[in-house]
Short mmCIF file of all heavy atoms in Angstrom, two decimals:
data_model
loop_
_atom_site.label_atom_id
_atom_site.label_comp_id
_atom_site.label_asym_id
_atom_site.label_seq_id
_atom_site.Cartn_x
_atom_site.Cartn_y
_atom_site.Cartn_z
N ARG A 283 87.96 117.96 75.07
CA ARG A 283 88.97 118.78 74.42
C ARG A 283 88.91 120.23 74.87
O ARG A 283 89.91 120.94 74.84
CB ARG A 283 88.78 118.72 72.89
CG ARG A 283 89.23 117.42 72.24
CD ARG A 283 90.74 117.26 72.31
NE ARG A 283 91.42 118.34 71.62
CZ ARG A 283 91.75 118.33 70.34
NH1 ARG A 283 91.43 117.27 69.59
NH2 ARG A 283 92.38 119.35 69.78
N ARG A 284 87.74 120.69 75.28
CA ARG A 284 87.59 122.07 75.71
C ARG A 284 88.11 122.23 77.14
O ARG A 284 87.89 121.36 78.00
CB ARG A 284 86.11 122.48 75.67
CG ARG A 284 85.48 122.43 74.31
CD ARG A 284 85.84 123.61 73.46
NE ARG A 284 85.33 124.86 74.01
CZ ARG A 284 85.51 126.04 73.47
NH1 ARG A 284 86.20 126.14 72.34
NH2 ARG A 284 85.02 127.12 74.02
N PRO A 285 88.79 123.32 77.43
CA PRO A 285 89.25 123.55 78.80
C PRO A 285 88.07 123.85 79.72
O PRO A 285 87.07 124.45 79.32
CB PRO A 285 90.18 124.75 78.69
CG PRO A 285 89.70 125.47 77.47
CD PRO A 285 89.21 124.41 76.52
N GLN A 286 88.18 123.38 80.95
CA GLN A 286 87.15 123.66 81.94
C GLN A 286 87.26 125.13 82.36
O GLN A 286 88.33 125.58 82.79
CB GLN A 286 87.34 122.77 83.18
CG GLN A 286 86.31 122.96 84.27
CD GLN A 286 85.00 122.24 83.96
OE1 GLN A 286 85.01 121.18 83.36
NE2 GLN A 286 83.89 122.82 84.37
N PRO A 287 86.18 125.92 82.20
CA PRO A 287 86.25 127.34 82.59
C PRO A 287 86.62 127.48 84.06
O PRO A 287 86.12 126.75 84.92
CB PRO A 287 84.83 127.85 82.33
CG PRO A 287 84.26 126.90 81.32
CD PRO A 287 84.87 125.56 81.64
N VAL A 288 87.52 128.44 84.33
CA VAL A 288 87.93 128.69 85.71
C VAL A 288 87.10 129.84 86.26
O VAL A 288 87.10 130.94 85.72
CB VAL A 288 89.44 129.05 85.77
CG1 VAL A 288 89.83 129.36 87.21
CG2 VAL A 288 90.27 127.91 85.21
N GLN A 289 86.35 129.54 87.32
CA GLN A 289 85.48 130.53 87.94
C GLN A 289 85.52 130.36 89.45
O GLN A 289 85.76 129.27 89.96
CB GLN A 289 84.04 130.36 87.47
CG GLN A 289 83.69 131.06 86.17
CD GLN A 289 82.21 130.95 85.89
OE1 GLN A 289 81.64 129.87 85.89
NE2 GLN A 289 81.58 132.09 85.67
N GLY A 290 85.25 131.43 90.12
CA GLY A 290 85.08 131.34 91.56
C GLY A 290 83.77 130.66 91.91
O GLY A 290 82.89 130.47 91.07
N TRP A 291 83.66 130.32 93.19
CA TRP A 291 82.46 129.60 93.66
C TRP A 291 81.18 130.39 93.42
O TRP A 291 80.21 129.87 92.88
CB TRP A 291 82.63 129.29 95.14
CG TRP A 291 81.39 128.73 95.78
CD1 TRP A 291 80.47 129.42 96.48
CD2 TRP A 291 80.92 127.38 95.74
NE1 TRP A 291 79.46 128.60 96.91
CE2 TRP A 291 79.71 127.32 96.47
CE3 TRP A 291 81.41 126.20 95.18
CZ2 TRP A 291 79.00 126.15 96.64
CZ3 TRP A 291 80.70 125.04 95.36
CH2 TRP A 291 79.51 125.03 96.07
N TRP A 292 81.20 131.66 93.83
CA TRP A 292 79.98 132.45 93.72
C TRP A 292 79.59 132.78 92.29
O TRP A 292 78.40 132.66 91.93
CB TRP A 292 80.11 133.73 94.56
CG TRP A 292 80.08 133.45 96.02
CD1 TRP A 292 81.12 133.54 96.90
CD2 TRP A 292 78.97 132.97 96.78
NE1 TRP A 292 80.74 133.17 98.15
CE2 TRP A 292 79.41 132.81 98.13
CE3 TRP A 292 77.64 132.67 96.48
CZ2 TRP A 292 78.57 132.37 99.14
CZ3 TRP A 292 76.81 132.23 97.49
CH2 TRP A 292 77.28 132.08 98.80
N PRO A 293 80.53 133.15 91.42
CA PRO A 293 80.14 133.35 90.01
C PRO A 293 79.57 132.08 89.37
O PRO A 293 78.61 132.15 88.60
CB PRO A 293 81.45 133.79 89.35
CG PRO A 293 82.25 134.40 90.44
CD PRO A 293 81.92 133.60 91.67
N ARG A 294 80.19 130.93 89.68
CA ARG A 294 79.67 129.69 89.10
C ARG A 294 78.29 129.37 89.64
O ARG A 294 77.39 128.95 88.89
CB ARG A 294 80.63 128.53 89.38
CG ARG A 294 80.15 127.20 88.77
CD ARG A 294 81.18 126.12 88.96
NE ARG A 294 82.36 126.34 88.16
CZ ARG A 294 82.48 125.93 86.91
NH1 ARG A 294 81.48 125.31 86.30
NH2 ARG A 294 83.59 126.17 86.24
N LEU A 295 78.11 129.57 90.94
CA LEU A 295 76.79 129.31 91.53
C LEU A 295 75.74 130.21 90.90
O LEU A 295 74.64 129.75 90.54
CB LEU A 295 76.84 129.56 93.05
CG LEU A 295 75.51 129.41 93.79
CD1 LEU A 295 74.96 128.00 93.65
CD2 LEU A 295 75.69 129.78 95.27
N GLY A 296 76.10 131.48 90.70
CA GLY A 296 75.14 132.40 90.08
C GLY A 296 74.84 132.02 88.65
O GLY A 296 73.68 132.05 88.21
N GLY A 297 75.87 131.66 87.88
CA GLY A 297 75.66 131.26 86.50
C GLY A 297 74.82 130.01 86.39
O GLY A 297 73.92 129.90 85.53
N ASN A 298 75.10 129.00 87.26
CA ASN A 298 74.32 127.77 87.23
C ASN A 298 72.86 128.01 87.64
O ASN A 298 71.94 127.44 87.05
CB ASN A 298 74.94 126.73 88.17
CG ASN A 298 76.24 126.18 87.62
OD1 ASN A 298 76.57 126.38 86.46
ND2 ASN A 298 76.99 125.50 88.47
N ALA A 299 72.68 128.85 88.65
CA ALA A 299 71.31 129.14 89.09
C ALA A 299 70.53 129.84 87.98
O ALA A 299 69.37 129.52 87.72
CB ALA A 299 71.35 130.01 90.35
N LEU A 300 71.19 130.79 87.31
CA LEU A 300 70.51 131.49 86.22
C LEU A 300 70.19 130.53 85.07
O LEU A 300 69.09 130.55 84.52
CB LEU A 300 71.41 132.63 85.71
CG LEU A 300 70.85 133.44 84.53
CD1 LEU A 300 69.53 134.11 84.90
CD2 LEU A 300 71.89 134.48 84.07
N GLY A 301 71.15 129.66 84.73
CA GLY A 301 70.91 128.68 83.67
C GLY A 301 69.79 127.72 84.03
O GLY A 301 68.96 127.38 83.18
N LEU A 302 69.76 127.28 85.28
CA LEU A 302 68.71 126.37 85.74
C LEU A 302 67.34 127.03 85.61
O LEU A 302 66.39 126.43 85.09
CB LEU A 302 68.98 125.97 87.18
CG LEU A 302 67.89 125.17 87.90
CD1 LEU A 302 67.69 123.82 87.23
CD2 LEU A 302 68.25 124.99 89.37
N VAL A 303 67.25 128.27 86.07
CA VAL A 303 65.97 128.98 86.02
C VAL A 303 65.53 129.19 84.57
O VAL A 303 64.36 128.95 84.22
CB VAL A 303 66.07 130.33 86.76
CG1 VAL A 303 64.83 131.17 86.49
CG2 VAL A 303 66.26 130.09 88.25
N LEU A 304 66.45 129.62 83.72
CA LEU A 304 66.08 129.86 82.31
C LEU A 304 65.66 128.57 81.62
O LEU A 304 64.73 128.56 80.81
CB LEU A 304 67.25 130.51 81.58
CG LEU A 304 67.59 131.95 81.99
CD1 LEU A 304 68.80 132.46 81.21
CD2 LEU A 304 66.40 132.87 81.76
N GLY A 305 66.35 127.48 81.94
CA GLY A 305 65.98 126.19 81.35
C GLY A 305 64.58 125.77 81.76
O GLY A 305 63.77 125.33 80.94
N LEU A 306 64.27 125.92 83.05
CA LEU A 306 62.95 125.56 83.54
C LEU A 306 61.87 126.49 82.97
O LEU A 306 60.76 126.05 82.65
CB LEU A 306 62.93 125.59 85.07
CG LEU A 306 63.80 124.54 85.77
CD1 LEU A 306 63.75 124.74 87.28
CD2 LEU A 306 63.36 123.14 85.40
N VAL A 307 62.20 127.76 82.86
CA VAL A 307 61.24 128.71 82.28
C VAL A 307 60.96 128.35 80.82
O VAL A 307 59.80 128.36 80.37
CB VAL A 307 61.77 130.15 82.40
CG1 VAL A 307 60.93 131.10 81.55
CG2 VAL A 307 61.75 130.60 83.86
N LEU A 308 62.02 128.04 80.05
CA LEU A 308 61.83 127.63 78.66
C LEU A 308 60.93 126.40 78.58
O LEU A 308 60.01 126.34 77.75
CB LEU A 308 63.18 127.35 78.00
CG LEU A 308 63.12 126.76 76.58
CD1 LEU A 308 62.44 127.72 75.63
CD2 LEU A 308 64.53 126.40 76.10
N ALA A 309 61.19 125.42 79.44
CA ALA A 309 60.38 124.19 79.44
C ALA A 309 58.93 124.50 79.78
O ALA A 309 58.00 124.03 79.10
CB ALA A 309 60.96 123.18 80.42
N LEU A 310 58.71 125.31 80.82
CA LEU A 310 57.35 125.61 81.27
C LEU A 310 56.59 126.43 80.24
O LEU A 310 55.43 126.10 79.90
CB LEU A 310 57.40 126.37 82.60
CG LEU A 310 56.05 126.77 83.19
CD1 LEU A 310 55.19 125.55 83.46
CD2 LEU A 310 56.25 127.59 84.47
N VAL A 311 57.21 127.48 79.71
CA VAL A 311 56.53 128.34 78.75
C VAL A 311 56.18 127.57 77.48
O VAL A 311 55.08 127.70 76.93
CB VAL A 311 57.39 129.57 78.43
CG1 VAL A 311 56.81 130.36 77.26
CG2 VAL A 311 57.50 130.47 79.66
N SER A 312 57.11 126.75 77.01
CA SER A 312 56.85 126.00 75.77
C SER A 312 55.81 124.91 75.98
O SER A 312 55.03 124.62 75.06
CB SER A 312 58.16 125.40 75.22
OG SER A 312 58.84 124.67 76.23
N VAL A 313 55.75 124.32 77.18
CA VAL A 313 54.69 123.35 77.47
C VAL A 313 53.34 124.03 77.46
O VAL A 313 52.36 123.52 76.89
CB VAL A 313 54.94 122.66 78.83
CG1 VAL A 313 53.67 121.95 79.32
CG2 VAL A 313 56.08 121.66 78.72
N LEU A 314 53.27 125.20 78.09
CA LEU A 314 52.00 125.94 78.10
C LEU A 314 51.60 126.37 76.69
O LEU A 314 50.42 126.30 76.31
CB LEU A 314 52.11 127.16 79.01
CG LEU A 314 52.28 126.85 80.51
CD1 LEU A 314 52.49 128.15 81.29
CD2 LEU A 314 51.09 126.08 81.05
N GLY A 315 52.60 126.78 75.89
CA GLY A 315 52.30 127.23 74.54
C GLY A 315 51.82 126.10 73.63
O GLY A 315 50.99 126.31 72.75
N GLY A 316 52.35 124.91 73.85
CA GLY A 316 51.95 123.77 73.02
C GLY A 316 51.12 122.77 73.77
O GLY A 316 51.13 121.58 73.44
N TYR A 317 50.38 123.25 74.78
CA TYR A 317 49.66 122.34 75.68
C TYR A 317 48.69 121.42 74.94
O TYR A 317 48.61 120.23 75.22
CB TYR A 317 48.91 123.14 76.75
CG TYR A 317 48.11 122.25 77.68
CD1 TYR A 317 48.75 121.56 78.71
CD2 TYR A 317 46.74 122.09 77.51
CE1 TYR A 317 48.03 120.73 79.56
CE2 TYR A 317 46.01 121.26 78.35
CZ TYR A 317 46.67 120.58 79.37
OH TYR A 317 45.95 119.75 80.21
N GLN A 318 47.96 121.98 73.99
CA GLN A 318 46.93 121.18 73.30
C GLN A 318 47.57 120.01 72.57
O GLN A 318 47.10 118.87 72.66
CB GLN A 318 46.15 122.05 72.33
CG GLN A 318 44.97 121.32 71.69
CD GLN A 318 44.11 122.26 70.86
OE1 GLN A 318 44.34 123.46 70.84
NE2 GLN A 318 43.12 121.70 70.18
N GLN A 319 48.65 120.28 71.84
CA GLN A 319 49.34 119.20 71.12
C GLN A 319 49.97 118.20 72.08
O GLN A 319 49.88 116.99 71.87
CB GLN A 319 50.41 119.79 70.21
CG GLN A 319 49.87 120.50 68.98
CD GLN A 319 50.99 121.11 68.18
OE1 GLN A 319 51.69 122.01 68.67
NE2 GLN A 319 51.18 120.64 66.96
N LEU A 320 50.61 118.70 73.15
CA LEU A 320 51.30 117.81 74.08
C LEU A 320 50.31 116.97 74.88
O LEU A 320 50.58 115.79 75.15
CB LEU A 320 52.18 118.63 75.02
CG LEU A 320 53.36 119.35 74.36
CD1 LEU A 320 54.12 120.18 75.38
CD2 LEU A 320 54.30 118.34 73.70
N ALA A 321 49.17 117.56 75.25
CA ALA A 321 48.16 116.80 75.99
C ALA A 321 47.61 115.67 75.14
O ALA A 321 47.42 114.54 75.60
CB ALA A 321 47.03 117.72 76.44
N SER A 322 47.35 115.96 73.87
CA SER A 322 46.87 114.92 72.96
C SER A 322 47.92 113.84 72.75
O SER A 322 47.61 112.64 72.73
CB SER A 322 46.50 115.54 71.61
OG SER A 322 46.12 114.56 70.69
N LEU A 323 49.19 114.26 72.63
CA LEU A 323 50.27 113.31 72.46
C LEU A 323 50.40 112.39 73.68
O LEU A 323 50.53 111.17 73.55
CB LEU A 323 51.59 114.06 72.23
CG LEU A 323 52.83 113.22 71.98
CD1 LEU A 323 52.73 112.48 70.66
CD2 LEU A 323 54.08 114.10 72.01
N ALA A 324 50.36 112.98 74.88
CA ALA A 324 50.49 112.20 76.10
C ALA A 324 49.31 111.24 76.29
O ALA A 324 49.46 110.15 76.83
CB ALA A 324 50.60 113.14 77.30
N ARG A 325 48.13 111.67 75.86
CA ARG A 325 46.94 110.85 76.04
C ARG A 325 46.88 109.69 75.04
O ARG A 325 46.51 108.57 75.40
CB ARG A 325 45.70 111.73 75.89
CG ARG A 325 44.38 110.98 76.11
CD ARG A 325 43.21 111.95 76.15
NE ARG A 325 43.11 112.75 74.93
CZ ARG A 325 43.41 114.03 74.84
NH1 ARG A 325 43.83 114.69 75.91
NH2 ARG A 325 43.29 114.67 73.69
N ASN A 326 47.28 109.93 73.82
CA ASN A 326 47.12 108.93 72.76
C ASN A 326 48.37 108.11 72.48
O ASN A 326 48.28 107.04 71.88
CB ASN A 326 46.68 109.61 71.46
CG ASN A 326 45.34 110.31 71.60
OD1 ASN A 326 44.42 109.78 72.22
ND2 ASN A 326 45.22 111.51 71.03
N HIS A 327 49.51 108.61 72.91
CA HIS A 327 50.77 107.91 72.63
C HIS A 327 51.64 107.94 73.90
O HIS A 327 52.70 108.58 73.94
CB HIS A 327 51.50 108.56 71.46
CG HIS A 327 50.67 108.63 70.21
ND1 HIS A 327 50.46 107.54 69.39
CD2 HIS A 327 49.97 109.66 69.66
CE1 HIS A 327 49.67 107.89 68.38
NE2 HIS A 327 49.36 109.17 68.52
N LYS A 328 51.19 107.23 74.91
CA LYS A 328 51.85 107.28 76.22
C LYS A 328 53.32 106.84 76.21
O LYS A 328 54.13 107.38 76.97
CB LYS A 328 51.05 106.46 77.23
CG LYS A 328 49.67 107.03 77.52
CD LYS A 328 48.91 106.17 78.52
CE LYS A 328 47.51 106.74 78.79
NZ LYS A 328 46.75 105.91 79.75
N PRO A 329 53.72 105.84 75.40
CA PRO A 329 55.13 105.43 75.45
C PRO A 329 56.11 106.53 75.10
O PRO A 329 57.29 106.44 75.45
CB PRO A 329 55.18 104.29 74.42
CG PRO A 329 53.79 103.76 74.34
CD PRO A 329 52.92 104.96 74.53
N VAL A 330 55.65 107.58 74.40
CA VAL A 330 56.56 108.65 73.97
C VAL A 330 57.27 109.28 75.17
O VAL A 330 58.43 109.68 75.07
CB VAL A 330 55.78 109.71 73.16
CG1 VAL A 330 56.61 110.97 72.98
CG2 VAL A 330 55.39 109.14 71.80
N ARG A 331 56.58 109.36 76.30
CA ARG A 331 57.19 110.01 77.47
C ARG A 331 58.45 109.29 77.93
O ARG A 331 59.32 109.89 78.57
CB ARG A 331 56.18 110.06 78.61
CG ARG A 331 55.90 108.73 79.28
CD ARG A 331 54.85 108.80 80.35
NE ARG A 331 53.52 108.95 79.78
CZ ARG A 331 52.41 108.93 80.51
NH1 ARG A 331 52.48 108.78 81.80
NH2 ARG A 331 51.23 109.07 79.92
N TYR A 332 58.56 107.99 77.63
CA TYR A 332 59.73 107.21 78.04
C TYR A 332 60.80 107.15 76.95
O TYR A 332 61.73 106.35 77.05
CB TYR A 332 59.30 105.79 78.43
CG TYR A 332 58.36 105.75 79.61
CD1 TYR A 332 57.07 105.28 79.46
CD2 TYR A 332 58.77 106.18 80.87
CE1 TYR A 332 56.19 105.23 80.55
CE2 TYR A 332 57.91 106.15 81.95
CZ TYR A 332 56.62 105.68 81.79
OH TYR A 332 55.76 105.64 82.85
#
Side-chain angles (χ1 to χ4, degrees):
R283 286 292 300 270
R284 298 282 295 180
Q286 181 79 34
V288 178
Q289 274 187 307
W291 171 264
W292 289 109
R294 181 175 290 273
L295 176 61
N298 289 347
L300 178 61
L302 172 64
V303 170
L304 291 178
L306 294 176
V307 168
L308 173 62
L310 179 60
V311 170
S312 51
V313 164
L314 293 176
Y317 178 78
Q318 186 173 355
Q319 287 177 296
L320 294 177
S322 176
L323 182 68
R325 182 172 58 253
N326 299 319
H327 304 282
K328 295 180 181 179
V330 167
R331 72 184 73 175
Y332 298 116

